[in-house]
Amino acid sequence: MGKEISIQVIRRLPRYYRFLSELEKEGVDKISSTKLSAIMDTSASQIRQDLNCFGGFGQQGYGYPVSQLKDKIGSILGIQNNYKAILLGAGNLGKAVATHMNFQSLGFELSAIFEKNPRLIGTMLRGITVKSDEEIKDFCTQNKITTAFLCLPKDAVSAQVDILYSLGIKTFWNFSHYDISKKYPDTIVENVHMSDSLMTLCYRISESQK
Amino acid sequence: MGKEISIQVIRRLPRYYRFLSELEKEGVDKISSTKLSAIMDTSASQIRQDLNCFGGFGQQGYGYPVSQLKDKIGSILGIQNNYKAILLGAGNLGKAVATHMNFQSLGFELSAIFEKNPRLIGTMLRGITVKSDEEIKDFCTQNKITTAFLCLPKDAVSAQVDILYSLGIKTFWNFSHYDISKKYPDTIVENVHMSDSLMTLCYRISESQK
């Protein structure tokens, strides 16, 4: 299961998970695809199609059981795996990522934070003492780190990725524009291109004024 | 022109713009769709199709003129418009956004930063003094603000969006999970859902281990 599911469907799953988690918090037991589609601002048929990819949830006319569906989607996403990750960069972006993200509910455990700037080394972030990036190698070989979150400037990323890759780290959450998978095609990379998002906003404003 | 172009194509344009800007910096004059596709890790036919949406660039066999193509895409995106924007939230995320983003090259001008926390009001970010969020109303009515960047916690967003919307601000770059366009369907919203991206990474790791 899963292998044949398109990346488009996969990319919608976190959103389902997010909305279902909120419904669960609100104490909602069951929800119809029509109601869910109104909340999520998609079509009911899209929802039925997407959820059918993962086997039958609920019965026609009875609605989806919220908690069960949420747990199933969470398990498809693999958030129970708690992949051990390190964060590189304790500047503003690294700080924001370290403090805002609820890693455990997203499938990861933040094991360490590394930084080059001596002024930031030794400071605390989310109860974790920021280490010197000279300790990356030892730390990763001693702990079973699978993933790196890269909150580094583009020109610093390349050299760090070389080191991390040599240590066997092949999955990256990357905030820079450096193209990791081009050099290392066997890596798994999710890029967060904030500037692309802002440019798209710019386009949509411009179009709306025509 | 533009109206009939799919959002999928539009969402690829910032990426074209990014790669073409780099090629321009490197002094590349012309580039074939084949070479561009290798750099961008897409198919050459995709590139030809996308660029054909906006009228003919270059001639078959001669390659695309890099600067001209970049400028044309920039102008389609509307980055010359310099939309006046305010940033709400000067916490870690707001700091990261204020300091990392090259707003002007992305179509925006950052006019002011607002914050609720008295400890942060009066501090400097990117040469801008952080103001109290009590000044939002006066500032926006005196300046022609069109856009708000929201780096606020989810529970703070709703009330601020109500205020901003009442001031005529209808375009938002939103980092929270609060669904602005659901309450205000006539707004233009780009959401940055960092947690969705991280969950997708989690899924892809889990799948790769099956």
Side-chain angles (χ1 to χ4, degrees):
Chain A
M1 191 212 72
K3 286 289 178 200
E4 72 286 356
I5 295 163
S6 78
I7 189 73
Q8 280 76 23
V9 178
I10 297 307
R11 289 200 183 280
R12 286 195 287 269
L13 289 186
R15 208 163 161 263
Y16 284 111
Y17 189 81
R18 192 148 44 79
F19 278 90
L20 289 163
S21 299
E22 286 181 14
L23 287 167
E24 192 186 39
K25 268 187 214 153
E26 291 163 13
V28 178
D29 273 349
K30 292 205 166 195
I31 191 156
S32 67
S33 52
T34 315
K35 274 195 186 151
L36 189 56
S37 74
I39 295 170
M40 292 186 60
D41 203 18
T42 40
S43 73
S45 75
Q46 168 93 86
I47 288 176
R48 284 191 296 265
Q49 244 175 53
D50 283 354
L51 299 182
N52 272 341
C53 291
F54 302 101
F57 286 112
Q59 261 181 288
Q60 190 83 33
Y62 287 84
Y64 296 108
V66 171
S67 294
Q68 200 186 322
L69 183 55
K70 189 210 83 175
D71 290 345
K72 182 76 189 277
I73 291 177
S75 126
I76 292 165
L77 288 167
I79 60 168
Q80 70 285 356
N81 285 312
N82 248 23
Y83 296 114
K84 282 193 174 185
I86 55 170
L87 170 64
L88 269 64
N92 289 317
L93 184 60
K95 269 184 202 148
V97 166
T99 51
H100 286 288
M101 305 301 296
N102 187 358
F103 294 111
Q104 215 178 344
S105 74
L106 302 168
F108 294 91
E109 180 192 320
L110 183 57
S111 300
I113 302 169
F114 297 95
E115 168 62 47
K116 188 181 163 182
N117 183 342
R119 226 169 29 84
L120 297 171
I121 296 165
T123 59
M124 294 288 281
L125 266 182
R126 201 190 185 121
I128 297 172
T129 308
V130 175
K131 295 182 197 294
S132 160
D133 62 4
E134 288 171 10
E135 296 178 58
I136 290 176
K137 203 169 169 175
D138 283 349
F139 187 88
C140 291
T141 44
Q142 280 156 28
N143 299 273
K144 283 179 183 170
I145 304 301
T146 61
T147 305
F149 306 152
L150 304 177
C151 296
L152 299 167
K154 187 179 175 180
D155 49 354
V157 175
S158 161
Q160 292 290 16
V161 168
D162 289 346
I163 294 168
L164 294 167
Y165 187 86
S166 77
L167 296 169
I169 293 175
K170 292 190 177 177
T171 62
F172 298 93
W173 195 34
N174 176 33
F175 283 79
S176 82
H177 289 323
Y178 177 71
D179 192 347
I180 298 170
S181 56
K182 201 184 162 200
K183 181 161 181 187
Y184 300 110
D186 64 336
T187 52
I188 298 173
V189 185
E190 279 290 314
N191 295 299
V192 181
H193 289 309
M194 302 203 304
S195 62
D196 289 10
S197 162
L198 196 51
M199 271 195 177
T200 307
L201 183 64
C202 178
Y203 172 83
R204 292 177 60 200
I205 303 173
S206 308
E207 273 305 290
S208 73
Q209 295 177 344
K210 276 185 185 166
Chain B
M1 191 213 75
K3 286 289 178 200
E4 72 287 355
I5 294 164
S6 78
I7 190 73
Q8 281 76 23
V9 178
I10 297 307
R11 290 200 184 279
R12 285 195 287 269
L13 289 186
R15 207 163 162 263
Y16 284 111
Y17 189 81
R18 192 147 45 78
F19 278 90
L20 288 165
S21 299
E22 285 182 14
L23 287 166
E24 191 185 40
K25 268 187 215 153
E26 291 164 13
V28 178
D29 275 347
K30 292 205 167 198
I31 191 155
S32 67
S33 52
T34 315
K35 275 195 186 151
L36 190 56
S37 74
I39 295 170
M40 292 187 59
D41 203 17
T42 39
S43 73
S45 74
Q46 168 94 86
I47 288 176
R48 283 191 296 267
Q49 245 175 52
D50 283 355
L51 299 182
N52 272 341
C53 292
F54 303 100
F57 287 110
Q59 264 183 286
Q60 190 83 34
Y62 286 84
Y64 297 107
V66 171
S67 294
Q68 201 187 318
L69 183 55
K70 188 210 83 175
D71 290 345
K72 181 76 190 277
I73 291 177
S75 128
I76 291 165
L77 288 167
I79 60 168
Q80 71 285 356
N81 285 312
N82 248 24
Y83 297 113
K84 283 192 171 185
I86 56 169
L87 169 65
L88 269 65
N92 290 318
L93 185 59
K95 269 185 201 148
V97 165
T99 51
H100 285 289
M101 305 301 295
N102 187 357
F103 294 110
Q104 215 177 346
S105 74
L106 302 167
F108 295 91
E109 181 193 320
L110 183 58
S111 300
I113 303 169
F114 297 96
E115 168 62 46
K116 186 181 162 182
N117 183 341
R119 225 168 32 80
L120 297 171
I121 297 166
T123 59
M124 294 286 282
L125 266 183
R126 203 190 185 121
I128 296 172
T129 309
V130 176
K131 295 182 197 297
S132 160
D133 62 3
E134 288 170 10
E135 296 177 55
I136 290 176
K137 205 170 168 176
D138 283 349
F139 187 88
C140 290
T141 44
Q142 280 156 28
N143 298 273
K144 284 180 181 168
I145 304 302
T146 61
T147 306
F149 305 152
L150 304 177
C151 296
L152 299 167
K154 187 178 176 179
D155 48 357
V157 175
S158 160
Q160 293 290 16
V161 167
D162 289 345
I163 293 169
L164 295 167
Y165 186 86
S166 76
L167 296 168
I169 294 174
K170 292 190 176 178
T171 62
F172 298 93
W173 195 34
N174 177 32
F175 284 78
S176 81
H177 287 324
Y178 177 71
D179 192 347
I180 298 170
S181 56
K182 202 185 164 197
K183 182 161 181 188
Y184 299 111
D186 63 337
T187 52
I188 299 173
V189 185
E190 279 290 314
N191 296 299
V192 181
H193 289 309
M194 303 204 304
S195 63
D196 288 11
S197 163
L198 195 51
M199 270 194 179
T200 308
L201 183 64
C202 177
Y203 173 83
R204 293 176 59 200
I205 302 173
S206 308
E207 274 305 289
S208 74
Q209 294 177 345
K210 276 183 184 167

